[in-house]
Amino acid sequence: MALELVYLLLPPACWAFLVRTRIVGAAVFAVLAGLALALVGLEEDWYFTRATAEIETGYPVAAGLVLLAGVLAEQRLRGPRTGKDYDHPVAGSAVAVTAHVLVGAGIAFAYQLLAHDAFVPSRAELSLPPGLTATAVTGGSCGSDFCSRTLTIGSDTGLPADEVEARLRAALAADGWTPGRDGALVRPHGWLVDGRVSQVHVTGRTVELSGSELADRGP
């Protein structure tokens, strides 16, 4: 928890030592707060995105670029820093921001090596078409090479099970899910960094949503 807070709060803490003007200072703090809030939202499951790994690993880079832009903007307003401006907090902040960016690069590399285990997909991965709702969500169990949860799909208009399945499959195909083995639909769980795969098996009103590191995504 302590390391997560350091990872999250280091950029605004560094900016507190670097800031020289009120206007630019407030603007940079606002952007940094937005970036941090996006990261908190991922951790708290406020929303789902396939770019989770990219946001987590790219946060230091994005924050570093915002800090750099703030420093350059203030330099235009106030002129270059003089020798006396480069005190220990300012120099330490520059080193900390650089280290923070390197940590993000290290996390991205770790994703490539370590983030291949089976996982329990979020319910938010499954986008239901209008008129269909998840009336029950159970599971969260793991097998030898996958984890899964089961959803029961209901219809607001009382559609029969086969029509529910047909509408759901059509919606998933439009959302980027492609045919896999044994009638499953598959889609990359992540984007560029996280190579894991999500799978959906649809049988009538029952949906099994599972996550694995499948290398072969074809049928």
Side-chain angles (χ1 to χ4, degrees):
M1 183 62 180
L3 290 177
E4 292 177 357
L5 286 176
V6 171
Y7 190 74
L8 184 68
L9 299 177
L10 183 62
C14 290
W15 181 242
F17 291 109
L18 297 171
V19 62
R20 300 164 66 195
T21 64
R22 290 183 179 180
I23 296 178
V24 176
V28 170
F29 270 125
V31 175
L32 291 176
L35 293 175
L37 190 62
L39 202 58
V40 171
L42 284 178
E43 296 297 326
E44 298 298 326
D45 291 327
W46 293 346
Y47 63 94
F48 170 77
T49 173
R50 288 172 57 202
T52 295
E54 287 72 21
I55 292 175
E56 291 178 345
T57 61
Y59 171 69
V61 177
L65 291 175
V66 171
L67 290 173
L68 177 60
V71 169
L72 294 177
E74 290 194 324
Q75 183 171 301
R76 286 184 62 87
L77 294 175
R78 296 283 299 273
R81 292 178 185 268
T82 61
K84 64 180 182 180
D85 292 325
Y86 286 97
D87 52 14
H88 292 301
V90 170
S93 297
V95 173
V97 170
T98 302
H100 199 222
V101 172
L102 293 177
V103 167
I107 293 175
F109 181 71
Y111 255 107
Q112 296 293 324
L113 295 179
L114 303 176
H116 297 293
D117 294 334
F119 63 99
V120 179
S122 168
R123 152 70 182 85
E125 286 206 45
L126 193 66
S127 299
L128 297 178
L132 299 185
T133 57
T135 59
V137 181
T138 59
S141 59
C142 293
S144 59
D145 58 357
F146 71 94
C147 297
S148 66
R149 63 171 74 242
T150 301
L151 293 80
T152 301
I153 307 301
S155 168
D156 294 343
T157 56
L159 294 174
D162 57 346
E163 182 64 21
V164 169
E165 178 177 346
R167 289 191 61 183
L168 183 55
R169 285 185 173 275
L172 292 174
D175 197 31
W177 296 76
T178 58
R181 294 178 177 176
D182 301 323
L185 296 172
V186 299
R187 187 180 69 175
H189 171 71
W191 194 251
L192 298 175
V193 178
D194 188 349
R196 295 175 297 179
V197 174
S198 298
Q199 294 186 90
V200 169
H201 287 83
V202 184
T203 306
R205 298 181 184 274
T206 302
V207 174
E208 183 183 32
L209 180 62
S210 59
S212 67
E213 61 150 334
L214 289 182
D216 183 2
R217 304 172 186 174

